[in-house]
Amino acid sequence: MSRILVSACLLGERVRYNGASAAADSGILEHWLAEGRVVSFCPEVAGGLGVPRPAAEIAGADGAAVLAGEARILTRAGTDVTGQFLRGATLALDAARTQGVRLAILKDGSPSCGSTTIHDGTFTGTRRTGNGVTTALLERHGIRVFSEQEFEAASAYLAGVEE
Ligand code: SF4
């Protein structure tokens, strides 16, 4: 049975930078939980960052650029947290590989978990198209990432890989 990596905050865990969760309301997710497919993971906490923690954004680039060593992740005060984000992404990939994960549902907009948009590095609430660091690493290794707006598409993808 394929397993599904899910952002811990989407499962109601209070691990976001501001100490909140972002619990997803989805019948598909409930079904996957009942089947025992769900692997809960928060890359930023796994990477060593606390809760709460200062918000951080990729500075003018995306997760792929961070993986390539061409961009950094900074807090508003300018603290470089790139290392913690990269560690969290690596640990997410390790967890996915060891637990038979084929796809992921990750919280969009996050510098770790974003899959359609991320913040643009200006701390003004402005989003740009792009992936977070964990999303970029998972997809590089063949694990398809969907956002919390894409449960239907993820369910169809799962059905396809399990045919
Ligand atoms: Fe949620 Fe991902 Fe941010 Fe953790 S790193 S709080 S799982 S969006």
Side-chain angles (χ1 to χ4, degrees):
M1 179 174 69
S2 303
R3 303 191 81 190
I4 302 164
L5 194 78
V6 179
S7 290
C9 58
L10 294 177
L11 293 165
E13 295 186 36
R14 298 173 64 86
V15 290
R16 296 191 70 206
Y17 72 96
N18 58 0
S21 73
D25 181 12
S26 163
I28 293 172
L29 179 58
E30 293 298 323
H31 183 65
W32 289 341
L33 284 163
E35 290 181 316
R37 292 184 186 273
V38 172
V39 176
S40 174
F41 202 87
C42 175
E44 292 174 24
V45 170
L49 297 169
V51 181
R53 55 188 173 276
E57 299 188 3
I58 301 172
D62 62 8
V66 176
L67 292 178
E70 297 168 353
R72 297 183 301 155
I73 305 176
L74 305 174
T75 68
R76 186 192 296 269
T79 302
D80 188 334
V81 287
T82 309
Q84 291 94 325
F85 275 67
L86 286 171
R87 182 160 193 273
T90 300
L91 291 171
L93 179 61
D94 288 349
R97 283 175 155 170
T98 58
Q99 299 192 58
V101 165
R102 303 288 299 276
L103 66 150
I105 300 278
L106 302 185
K107 171 88 175 66
D108 209 12
S110 154
S112 293
C113 294
S115 59
T116 68
T117 62
I118 53 175
H119 291 275
D120 71 350
T122 61
F123 294 92
T124 58
T126 308
R127 292 196 184 202
R128 52 167 283 164
T129 300
N131 284 345
V133 180
T134 293
T135 297
L137 188 63
L138 292 178
E139 294 214 313
R140 180 174 292 183
H141 289 85
I143 297 167
R144 178 80 182 272
V145 177
F146 298 86
S147 80
E148 72 276 22
Q149 307 298 326
E150 299 174 315
F151 278 103
E152 296 283 349
S155 182
Y157 181 82
L158 178 65
V161 300
E162 292 197 329
E163 271 180 359

